């Protein structure tokens, strides 16, 4: 494998999250410096998005690429128009610090997870909350993922133990906000920091404090809705907490970022890992595949985002 790398510098503090635009032309980064940036990958130039008053922990593009959502420890979620770089909306949920944001696959809904165990879900067009806001997650939300069909939301919690919480993975109905099922990984009962569905919806990958990655096999009911999770392969290799997980567009590769300072590529079928030499100094907080699956973006505690093109 040959790797060509490009470094994007501009943030003055740790980069927490990276995401490619759906057309692959832009990379978004979120940072502890309380800003986000949109990077033109053809020129390498970045546009500053500044509105938050505290660290920006998470971001996500809408499926059509027209909007970018940023979630911050200042308790707000901001919406940005990607063509004008202007702020076009602000959500202020009855929640504490925002750690995760995610658009539904059709772009109609936006979910956010934070420290106080709520997951508000907004109607993006109306800029108002839906009736399906989830309020019984059982701990701080450190992982958040919509299923590919948009009917189910997966959450991962820290299980701090302060209120009897456990480090669970839970599936919720997006329509009703009701709990569908919950599981605890008995082989790695540590806080769940990352979760992602495979593109075909057959697997849910989770990772957390223990540095291991679990592949859960998704079972559906007669209507086709997600019903249960069965523990599948356990991927072992990281020596520190798993901070982010993402599948390649074709679903054949799983990428992981870790606070051990590495990013890895995994074959879900065999469990074999490949370490990607990202060049970061210190922890790696986030990882993302480009839409064509050829480039991996990583976010580092060193304040940089790095692009690794594989060939």
């Amino acid at each position: 494998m040959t790797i060509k790398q490009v470094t994007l510098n501009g943030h003055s503090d740790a980069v927490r999250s990276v995401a490619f635009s759906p057309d692959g032309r832009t990379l978004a980064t979120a940072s502890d410096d309380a800003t986000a940036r949109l990077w033109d990958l053809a020129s390498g130039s970045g546009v500053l998005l500044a509105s938050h008053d505290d660290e920006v922990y998470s971001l996500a593009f809408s499926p059509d690429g027209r909007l970018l959502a940023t979630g911050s420890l200042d308790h707000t979620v901001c919406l940005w128009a990607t063509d004008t770089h202007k702020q076009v909306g602000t959500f202020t949920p009855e929640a504490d610090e925002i750690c995760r944001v995610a658009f539904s696959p059709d772009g109609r809904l936006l979910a956010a997870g934070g420290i106080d165990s709520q997951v508000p879900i907004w109607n993006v067009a109306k800029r108002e909350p839906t009736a399906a806001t989830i309020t019984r997650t059982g701990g701080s939300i450190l992982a958040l993922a919509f299923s590919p069909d948009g009917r189910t939301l997966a959450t991962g919690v820290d299980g701090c133990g302060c209120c009897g919480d456990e480090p669970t993975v839970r599936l919720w109905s997006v329509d009703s906000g009701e709990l569908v099922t919950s599981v605890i990984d008995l082989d790695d009962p540590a806080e769940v920091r990352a979760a992602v569905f495979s593109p075909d919806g057959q697997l849910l990958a989770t990772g957390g404090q223990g540095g291991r990655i679990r592949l859960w096999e998704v079972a559906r009911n007669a209507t086709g809705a997600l019903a249960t999770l069965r523990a599948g392969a356990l991927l072992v290799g990281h020596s520190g907490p798993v901070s982010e997980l993402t599948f390649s567009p074709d679903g054949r590769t799983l990428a992981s970022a870790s606070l051990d300072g590495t990013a890895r590529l995994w074959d879900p079928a065999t469990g074999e890992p490949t370490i990607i030499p990202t060049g970061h100094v210190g922890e790696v907080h986030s990882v993302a595949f480009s839409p064509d699956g050829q480039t991996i973006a990583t976010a580092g505690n060193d304040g940089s985002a790095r692009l690794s093109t594989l060939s």
Side-chain angles (χ1 to χ4, degrees):
M1 179 186 299
T2 302
I3 300 174
K4 178 183 178 181
Q5 292 189 322
V6 174
T7 301
L8 301 175
N9 290 309
H11 287 291
S12 61
D13 209 333
V15 178
R16 290 286 180 176
S17 185
V18 289
F20 282 96
S21 61
D23 64 9
R25 298 178 180 177
T26 304
L27 185 77
T29 56
S31 172
D32 282 1
D33 66 11
T35 71
R37 290 177 185 255
L38 290 173
W39 301 87
D40 182 314
L41 296 183
S43 66
S45 61
V47 176
L48 182 69
L49 305 179
S51 176
H52 291 290
D53 296 324
D54 207 337
E55 300 168 12
V56 184
Y57 256 44
S58 181
L59 49 73
F61 280 100
S62 61
D64 63 8
R66 295 180 180 180
L67 295 173
L68 180 76
T70 56
S72 170
L73 300 192
D74 67 4
H75 305 194
T76 67
V77 176
C78 291
L79 280 181
W80 308 82
T82 56
D83 55 352
T84 64
H85 309 139
K86 301 295 185 181
Q87 186 177 344
V88 295
T90 303
F91 298 128
T92 306
E94 296 180 6
D96 213 318
E97 292 99 335
I98 304 299
C99 298
R100 295 283 182 179
V101 293
F103 279 98
S104 61
D106 61 8
R108 293 188 308 107
L109 304 176
L110 176 65
I115 299 301
D116 69 347
S117 78
Q118 291 191 67
V119 182
I121 301 176
W122 292 280
N123 181 303
V124 176
K126 295 181 179 180
R127 306 289 200 267
E128 63 183 27
T130 70
T133 293
I134 296 164
T135 59
R136 306 184 309 281
T137 61
S140 299
I141 303 299
L142 304 181
L144 192 65
F146 278 96
S147 61
D149 63 8
R151 300 169 65 180
T152 305
L153 189 68
T155 61
V157 301
D158 61 354
C160 64
C162 58
C163 303
D165 302 332
E166 294 180 293
T168 55
V169 179
R170 299 187 179 192
L171 299 183
W172 305 86
S173 167
V174 172
D175 288 336
S176 68
E178 294 298 316
L179 179 66
V180 175
T181 189
S182 64
V183 292
I184 298 176
D185 192 344
L186 297 179
D187 291 321
D188 191 21
E191 65 181 30
V192 182
R193 288 172 169 249
V196 64
F197 284 95
S198 61
D200 63 5
Q202 299 302 306
L203 293 175
L204 175 69
T206 61
Q209 185 69 25
R212 299 180 178 185
I213 300 165
R214 172 67 73 183
L215 299 182
W216 301 91
E217 299 171 2
V218 175
R220 300 176 182 273
N221 61 24
T223 68
L226 274 64
T228 60
L229 296 173
R230 292 190 292 263
L234 188 65
L235 309 182
V236 180
H238 285 296
S239 59
V242 175
S243 50
E244 189 73 276
L245 294 167
T246 185
F247 275 97
S248 60
D250 63 7
R252 298 173 62 183
T253 304
L254 177 69
S256 60
S258 172
L259 302 190
D260 67 7
T262 70
R264 296 177 185 237
L265 299 179
W266 305 82
D267 182 335
T270 65
E272 290 298 318
T274 300
I275 297 177
I276 300 298
T278 63
H280 287 294
V281 177
E283 300 170 343
V284 181
H285 293 295
S286 182
V287 62
F289 270 105
S290 61
D292 65 5
Q294 298 302 304
T295 301
I296 295 171
T298 52
N301 208 58
D302 57 9
S304 73
R306 296 178 186 253
L307 301 171
S308 301
T309 300
L310 313 177
S311 59

